[in-house]
């Protein structure tokens, strides 16, 4: 069965600095998708960025980028120029392309210090 | 992206009662999902609800405890039956919105969640 592991329960970053959140996963599939979701205190799940496994190029969305290492099954999220509004719980998620099921990691709580 | 609403946003219920949570989407979607997020935990998939067929439940979740309806392509309900304090969680529905990007990339969008407290 697929699993997603986030080894950092909590992280802290200074405003305007850069922080990287780690995620590893385990799968025997070749066709899948990876996502980072943000959940602020309002509890609304917000999609931050997605990566298709067949794409070698790392996805980028404004200040958010990923480092996708398929062979190592690693999918880290880099947040540049951190802002106070980035403070939230971040979940890494794996989607099986055959079943369309999302499997979530345990989350990383990010604090942004002014 | 799809806009999703859930009712109620929160509720406090007595042990042994049942609560039905509604999920409404502003567009027709094929796949809808129900998740549970226990306090301080990650999201766990309860079931997948497709219109016109029975919901598919994940291991550890059964229809008698979490009956689901999917009467059309924009609406679904999840009932939490015979509740106990262990059912206190946030329940979220999500929908799959296919995004064309040369090859289909499936994204799930989430509703705001229903915070359930069982006394």
């Amino acid at each position: 069965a697929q699993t997603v592991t986030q080894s950092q329960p909590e992280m802290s970053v200074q405003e305007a600095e850069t922080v990287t959140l780690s995620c590893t996963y385990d799968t025997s599939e070749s066709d899948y998708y990876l996502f980072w979701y943000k959940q602020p205190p309002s509890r609304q799940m917000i999609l931050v960025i997605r990566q298709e496994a067949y794409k070698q190029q790392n996805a980028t969305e404004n200040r958010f980028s990923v480092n996708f290492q398929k062979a190592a099954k690693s999918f880290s999220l880099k947040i540049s120029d951190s802002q106070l509004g980035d403070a939230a719980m971040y979940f890494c998620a794996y989607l099986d392309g055959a079943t369309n099921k999302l499997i979530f990691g345990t989350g990383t709580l990010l604090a942004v210090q002014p | 992206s799809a806009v999703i609403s859930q009712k109620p946003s929160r509720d406090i219920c007595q042990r042994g009662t049942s609560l039905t949570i509604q999920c409404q989407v502003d567009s027709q979607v094929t796949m809808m999902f129900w998740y549970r997020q226990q306090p301080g935990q990650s999201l766990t998939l309860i079931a997948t609800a497709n219109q016109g067929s029975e919901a598919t439940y994940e291991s550890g979740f059964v229809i008698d405890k979490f009956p689901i309806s999917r009467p059309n392509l924009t609406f679904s309900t999840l009932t939490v039956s015979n509740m106990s304090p262990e059912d206190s969680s946030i329940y979220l529905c999500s929908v799959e919105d296919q995004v064309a990007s040369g090859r289909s990339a499936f994204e799930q969008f989430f509703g705001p969640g229903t915070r359930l407290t069982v006394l």
Side-chain angles (χ1 to χ4, degrees):
Chain A
Q2 297 92 350
T3 59
V4 178
T5 302
Q6 293 179 249
S7 59
Q8 305 155 316
E10 298 182 10
M11 291 283 286
S12 181
V13 62
Q14 291 291 129
E15 197 174 5
E17 296 295 310
T18 296
V19 64
T20 298
L21 308 184
S22 301
C23 174
T24 59
Y25 59 96
D26 187 25
T27 184
S28 59
E29 302 297 325
S30 59
D31 181 21
Y32 54 90
Y33 306 88
L34 297 164
F35 303 89
W36 278 97
Y37 281 89
K38 169 185 177 182
Q39 188 179 39
S42 67
R43 75 175 181 258
Q44 175 75 57
M45 293 286 285
I46 302 166
L47 179 65
V48 175
I49 198 166
R50 75 174 190 273
Q51 174 81 44
E52 292 88 343
Y54 71 92
K55 288 186 177 179
Q56 293 185 340
Q57 186 175 6
N58 290 324
T60 299
E61 290 286 345
N62 301 313
R63 297 183 295 108
F64 299 88
S65 62
V66 300
N67 183 3
F68 174 49
Q69 302 290 329
K70 190 172 184 179
K73 296 179 182 175
S74 171
F75 182 61
S76 61
L77 174 70
K78 185 172 80 171
I79 306 174
S80 304
D81 185 25
S82 297
Q83 301 175 359
L84 295 177
D86 294 333
M89 181 72 84
Y90 286 81
F91 291 100
C92 177
Y94 167 101
L95 186 141
D96 186 323
T99 66
N100 296 330
K101 293 180 182 177
L102 263 181
I103 300 168
F104 286 87
T106 51
T108 297
L109 182 62
L110 177 66
V112 181
Q113 307 299 331
Chain B
S1 62
V3 176
I4 306 162
S5 60
Q6 284 186 235
K7 291 182 181 180
S9 60
R10 60 177 60 217
D11 207 343
I12 301 173
C13 301
Q14 295 296 322
R15 179 196 301 261
T17 62
S18 298
L19 176 72
T20 296
I21 302 168
Q22 300 179 5
C23 179
Q24 180 76 51
V25 189
D26 69 342
S27 59
Q28 294 185 338
V29 294
T30 301
M31 301 187 76
M32 295 181 75
F33 306 86
W34 286 98
Y35 291 84
R36 181 177 72 183
Q37 186 176 23
Q38 294 177 302
Q41 303 296 316
S42 186
L43 282 74
T44 302
L45 180 64
I46 297 172
T48 303
N50 293 334
Q51 194 267 337
S53 63
E54 294 289 325
T56 303
Y57 290 83
E58 296 301 303
S59 176
F61 298 96
V62 295
I63 188 171
D64 289 347
K65 176 66 175 177
F66 297 102
I68 288 171
S69 77
R70 182 79 200 274
N72 57 52
L73 292 174
T74 63
F75 187 78
S76 178
T77 66
L78 169 75
T79 299
V80 186
S81 303
N82 188 25
M83 288 183 285
S84 67
E86 291 71 34
D87 294 320
S88 297
S89 294
I90 296 171
Y91 292 86
L92 300 102
C93 71
S94 75
V95 304
E96 187 177 83
D97 191 357
Q98 186 172 333
V99 176
S101 58
R103 170 175 158 169
S104 297
F106 297 93
E107 299 180 9
Q108 285 190 24
F109 296 90
F110 286 80
T114 296
R115 183 181 295 275
L116 170 62
T117 302
V118 184
L119 302 178

